[in-house]
Amino acid sequence: MNSNDPLLTIRNKINLINKKLIILLSKRQSLTIKIAKIKLAINHSIKDKNREKNMIKQLINTGQKYGIKEKYISDIFNIIINQSISIQKKLLEKTKKSSNKNLSASFLGPKGSYSYNATLEYETKKNKKLLKKNCSNFKKVFQNVENNYSDIGIVPIENSCTGPISEIYNLLSQYNLLVIEKFSIPIEHCLLGISTASLNKIETIYSHSQPFKQCKKFISLFSNWAKKYVESTAIAMKQVSSLNLNNIAAIGSPIGANIYNLKIIKKNISNKINNFTKFVVLSKKKPLSLNIFFEKIMITFIIKNKSYYFISLFSLLEEHNIIVNKFELFCFQNSSKEKKMFLDIKSDLKNFQIEKFFQKIKIFVKDFKIVGTYKSI
């Protein structure tokens, strides 16, 4: 056949259409994978019979306009839909296998610390056994996750008595980790000592700096007490137990009292009766597409040194209908003149304004970073 052969000309046109069909099928497959990830994130079922039925019906109606028979349309798109479902199922199976492996978690303090209690609570919430790795300080928790020594880190970020924990926010700005979940646990601060200890005998109390702040009102009633700061409540309880003196005590939890064989001298010594601490789960994962559902997104940045930029920030938030859940402003030791801002904003699958907001905000801020794409559990 020569180039003027009408059959060859038509076949070449068909070949071009076939190629376009393959390209379109490839694009459709890519979108299928994106949909699968969104479904996994929001715990949506893979198969949607109503959606499939309506889609086939619409395609048949469109096909009739172009002279394509109903069965032809139905057969073709049932094959395409089944292939999409197969792709989504494989991705789900892969995700399940990955999630079923034993995760390692770093946290502050040995057994009995509030971070340890939070790690136990996280195990219960996720119904998953964790390989626990205790750390001597918060920085070590971040380092363990950053260096792949642990899969996740569990750290406190805010207490209902004392507010945000600035050290955690500082570390979030320094390390390339992501907040992937947030949850709260009740804090039941108790004064603990050995079996012969009592309030009138105590001269020294041991604890981490946070419980000292959270129990400030109670401690102020005993001006003769000396305070000994240690790395965690667990270390405080361990030290009181090992020293075995009736004139020392620790601030800790009932769980810790059982672990270290200590007596509860006084219960509920917090400044507030309903004291609780919010914990976040840290991961080395990169932020996912903002089109995937998250309850909240946490960002951090430094506003350039002009006061009207603050006004611009809040004008932009209002313009794009961004709901702010939390606003924090910190001045860190290594940046005395510049204040780092943290915003917790509400995310919504229908809210496509967020990416536009991020693009605009970068004009008048620096060191912009997404540090959390998460949901509360």
Side-chain angles (χ1 to χ4, degrees), residues 237-366:
M237 291 182 287
K238 190 175 181 179
Q239 195 151 347
V240 169
S241 180
S242 62
L243 289 172
N244 198 35
L245 300 171
N246 63 10
N247 65 341
I248 62 174
I251 298 174
S253 67
I255 292 175
N258 289 330
I259 291 171
Y260 295 102
N261 195 29
L262 294 173
K263 178 179 75 173
I264 298 177
I265 302 169
K266 182 73 175 176
K267 287 184 177 181
N268 300 320
I269 63 171
S270 299
N271 298 339
K272 287 176 68 176
I273 295 173
N274 296 319
N275 186 13
F276 64 89
T277 294
K278 291 180 181 179
F279 282 80
V280 292
V281 181
L282 306 169
S283 171
K284 203 176 177 181
K285 292 178 182 177
K286 292 181 180 178
L288 298 172
S289 166
L290 294 178
N291 290 331
I292 295 178
F293 177 76
F294 304 105
E295 284 181 5
K296 296 171 187 175
I297 300 172
M298 187 188 296
I299 57 175
T300 182
F301 49 85
I302 295 173
I303 290 186
K304 292 175 184 177
N305 195 23
K306 289 184 180 179
S307 59
Y308 65 82
Y309 282 144
F310 277 95
I311 300 170
S312 300
L313 169 64
F314 290 102
S315 295
L316 269 181
L317 287 166
E318 186 176 358
E319 177 189 338
H320 293 281
N321 299 313
I322 306 294
I323 298 172
V324 178
N325 297 299
K326 191 78 178 173
F327 167 85
E328 298 293 349
L329 189 62
F330 295 98
C331 188
F332 298 122
Q333 291 177 352
N334 58 351
S335 180
S336 58
K337 292 183 179 179
E338 294 181 312
K339 293 184 178 180
K340 184 152 283 192
M341 183 176 288
F342 285 82
L343 282 184
D344 240 22
I345 60 177
K346 186 176 181 181
S347 175
D348 192 313
L349 264 177
K350 297 176 183 177
N351 190 354
F352 298 107
Q353 298 294 322
I354 292 175
E355 286 198 61
K356 290 181 182 178
F357 167 71
F358 284 175
Q359 291 302 318
K360 289 181 180 178
I361 196 179
K362 289 175 185 177
I363 297 169
F364 56 86
V365 305
K366 58 182 179 179

Side-chain angles (χ1 to χ4, degrees), residues 78-339:
N78 274 319
I79 292 170
I80 292 172
I81 289 168
N82 288 335
Q83 175 65 11
S84 294
I85 291 169
S86 176
I87 289 169
Q88 291 181 55
K89 282 182 177 178
K90 284 179 181 177
L91 184 63
L92 177 62
E93 287 169 7
K94 186 178 177 181
T95 304
K96 279 184 175 178
K97 284 180 182 177
S98 176
S99 63
N100 285 335
K101 73 169 188 174
N102 288 331
L103 292 176
S104 56
S106 285
F107 60 92
L108 175 68
K111 284 185 178 181
S113 69
Y114 283 106
S115 291
Y116 172 78
N117 297 348
T119 305
L120 294 180
E121 179 68 16
Y122 185 73
E123 278 187 323
T124 303
K125 287 178 179 292
K126 304 296 286 188
N127 193 25
K128 182 180 293 185
K129 193 71 177 172
L130 298 174
L131 176 62
K132 302 175 192 66
K133 298 179 179 179
N134 64 73
C135 301
S136 58
N137 53 60
F138 290 135
K139 187 176 181 179
K140 185 65 177 173
V141 174
F142 278 75
Q143 288 174 340
N144 278 359
V145 182
E146 178 88 1
N147 297 324
N148 300 313
Y149 183 65
S150 291
D151 296 303
I152 58 172
I154 297 175
V155 294
I157 196 166
E158 182 182 355
N159 178 261
S160 58
C161 284
T162 55
I165 300 170
S166 58
E167 183 182 355
I168 299 300
Y169 281 97
N170 195 359
L171 291 166
L172 279 171
S173 69
Q174 292 176 27
Y175 287 84
N176 292 318
L177 301 182
L178 193 70
V179 172
I180 57 170
E181 286 172 311
K182 182 185 278 190
F183 63 99
S184 299
I185 67 165
I187 302 297
E188 190 181 347
H189 286 312
C190 301
L191 190 69
L192 310 172
I194 64 172
S195 59
T196 56
S198 60
L199 272 177
N200 60 352
K201 292 179 182 177
I202 293 171
E203 296 174 358
T204 304
I205 53 172
Y206 293 76
S207 189
H208 182 266
S209 59
Q210 281 295 317
F212 276 135
K213 291 177 185 177
Q214 294 164 27
C215 303
K216 188 176 179 180
K217 289 181 181 178
F218 174 77
I219 295 169
S220 67
L221 299 174
F222 305 91
S223 57
N224 61 313
W225 287 0
K227 290 189 287 187
K228 293 284 186 180
Y229 290 85
V230 292
E231 291 85 354
S232 70
T233 53
I235 290 174
M237 291 182 287
K238 190 175 181 179
Q239 195 151 347
V240 169
S241 180
S242 62
L243 289 172
N244 198 35
L245 300 171
N246 63 10
N247 65 341
I248 62 174
I251 298 174
S253 67
I255 292 175
N258 289 330
I259 291 171
Y260 295 102
N261 195 29
L262 294 173
K263 178 179 75 173
I264 298 177
I265 302 169
K266 182 73 175 176
K267 287 184 177 181
N268 300 320
I269 63 171
S270 299
N271 298 339
K272 287 176 68 176
I273 295 173
N274 296 319
N275 186 13
F276 64 89
T277 294
K278 291 180 181 179
F279 282 80
V280 292
V281 181
L282 306 169
S283 171
K284 203 176 177 181
K285 292 178 182 177
K286 292 181 180 178
L288 298 172
S289 166
L290 294 178
N291 290 331
I292 295 178
F293 177 76
F294 304 105
E295 284 181 5
K296 296 171 187 175
I297 300 172
M298 187 188 296
I299 57 175
T300 182
F301 49 85
I302 295 173
I303 290 186
K304 292 175 184 177
N305 195 23
K306 289 184 180 179
S307 59
Y308 65 82
Y309 282 144
F310 277 95
I311 300 170
S312 300
L313 169 64
F314 290 102
S315 295
L316 269 181
L317 287 166
E318 186 176 358
E319 177 189 338
H320 293 281
N321 299 313
I322 306 294
I323 298 172
V324 178
N325 297 299
K326 191 78 178 173
F327 167 85
E328 298 293 349
L329 189 62
F330 295 98
C331 188
F332 298 122
Q333 291 177 352
N334 58 351
S335 180
S336 58
K337 292 183 179 179
E338 294 181 312
K339 293 184 178 180

Side-chain angles (χ1 to χ4, degrees), residues 69-85:
K69 291 183 179 180
E70 179 179 327
K71 189 176 185 305
Y72 186 38
I73 293 285
S74 179
D75 288 347
I76 288 173
F77 279 93
N78 274 319
I79 292 170
I80 292 172
I81 289 168
N82 288 335
Q83 175 65 11
S84 294
I85 291 169

